[in-house]
Amino acid sequence: DNDHNNNNNNNIANDNDNDASEQQLPTTPTTPRSGGPKERIRGVAAFFVTKLPGKKLPEKGKRILRATVTGDPTGAMRVRDYVKMPRTIQTIDKVSFTVGVVMLMVTQYMATEHPERFWLYYLVTAPVVILYRVIHYCGIKYHYFLIDFCYYANLACFAQILVMPSNGTLFRSVFAYANGPILWAIPLWRNSLVFH
């Protein structure tokens, strides 16, 4: 068995020698490596750090990019400085969160304890919320989001309550809007109420 293993090892070594002699790869002049693995790592790092040939980004392009990322209209704030800035919760965020939670509790109270007066509550609160949304969305240039089906459904609900309260067809339509596409939009778009 030992002779057999030695013969196999010799055959493998001979095969490797034949392969090496058959494959004559072109040689390039090499410089002796100095420093070992650390030097090789530095060489790899230098490969990835090297800049591609070409022009640098013009100053106007830098300012536009900075203004887009940081929100600074002048474009003077660097992105790396913006990322390092500490994040704070603004007072308006605290107020809107508190008002939202209180309104949620009041809405639940009105819907469960006084359902016969809920339509009055809706007529008072919904226009205020929608007006705030219109002002806010127009300010941040999201006004096209106001052309959404849910706003149309709210408008139809206002019309049913104020203009045609005894119209059965409009009532069924508003009911279908609220319990059809708008209700299914909640799980479909993954809307959720998250307390932070």
Side-chain angles (χ1 to χ4, degrees), residues 78-133:
R78 297 184 319 174
V79 175
R80 84 174 56 118
D81 295 337
Y82 175 74
V83 172
K84 291 178 184 177
M85 284 177 49
R87 301 287 169 237
T88 58
I89 299 174
Q90 296 179 355
T91 305
I92 189 69
D93 296 330
K94 293 177 184 178
V95 170
S96 64
F97 178 78
T98 305
V99 169
V101 172
V102 169
M103 290 303 294
L104 178 69
M105 292 188 296
V106 171
T107 302
Q108 184 177 358
Y109 172 77
M110 288 298 294
T112 57
E113 298 297 321
H114 302 286
E116 70 281 355
R117 293 191 203 135
F118 188 79
W119 65 275
L120 285 171
Y121 173 76
Y122 174 75
L123 287 178
V124 170
T125 57
V128 174
V129 172
I130 292 173
L131 181 64
Y132 171 76
R133 176 69 56 98

Side-chain angles (χ1 to χ4, degrees), residues 60-187:
K60 183 177 180 182
K62 283 183 185 179
R63 290 197 180 278
I64 292 171
L65 182 65
R66 287 176 179 170
T68 303
V69 173
T70 63
D72 179 20
T74 64
M77 179 181 290
R78 297 184 319 174
V79 175
R80 84 174 56 118
D81 295 337
Y82 175 74
V83 172
K84 291 178 184 177
M85 284 177 49
R87 301 287 169 237
T88 58
I89 299 174
Q90 296 179 355
T91 305
I92 189 69
D93 296 330
K94 293 177 184 178
V95 170
S96 64
F97 178 78
T98 305
V99 169
V101 172
V102 169
M103 290 303 294
L104 178 69
M105 292 188 296
V106 171
T107 302
Q108 184 177 358
Y109 172 77
M110 288 298 294
T112 57
E113 298 297 321
H114 302 286
E116 70 281 355
R117 293 191 203 135
F118 188 79
W119 65 275
L120 285 171
Y121 173 76
Y122 174 75
L123 287 178
V124 170
T125 57
V128 174
V129 172
I130 292 173
L131 181 64
Y132 171 76
R133 176 69 56 98
V134 167
I135 294 168
H136 180 67
Y137 273 20
C138 288
I140 59 174
K141 300 196 186 317
Y142 278 11
H143 50 277
Y144 288 117
F145 286 111
L146 297 171
I147 309 171
D148 194 8
F149 181 74
C150 64
Y151 297 104
Y152 169 75
N154 275 293
L155 185 65
C157 188
F158 288 136
Q160 195 270 324
I161 293 172
L162 296 173
V163 180
M164 296 179 265
S166 59
N167 188 333
T169 305
L170 183 58
F171 174 79
R172 284 190 292 276
S173 297
V174 169
F175 184 84
Y177 293 160
N179 294 292
I182 294 180
L183 181 65
W184 280 103
I186 294 169

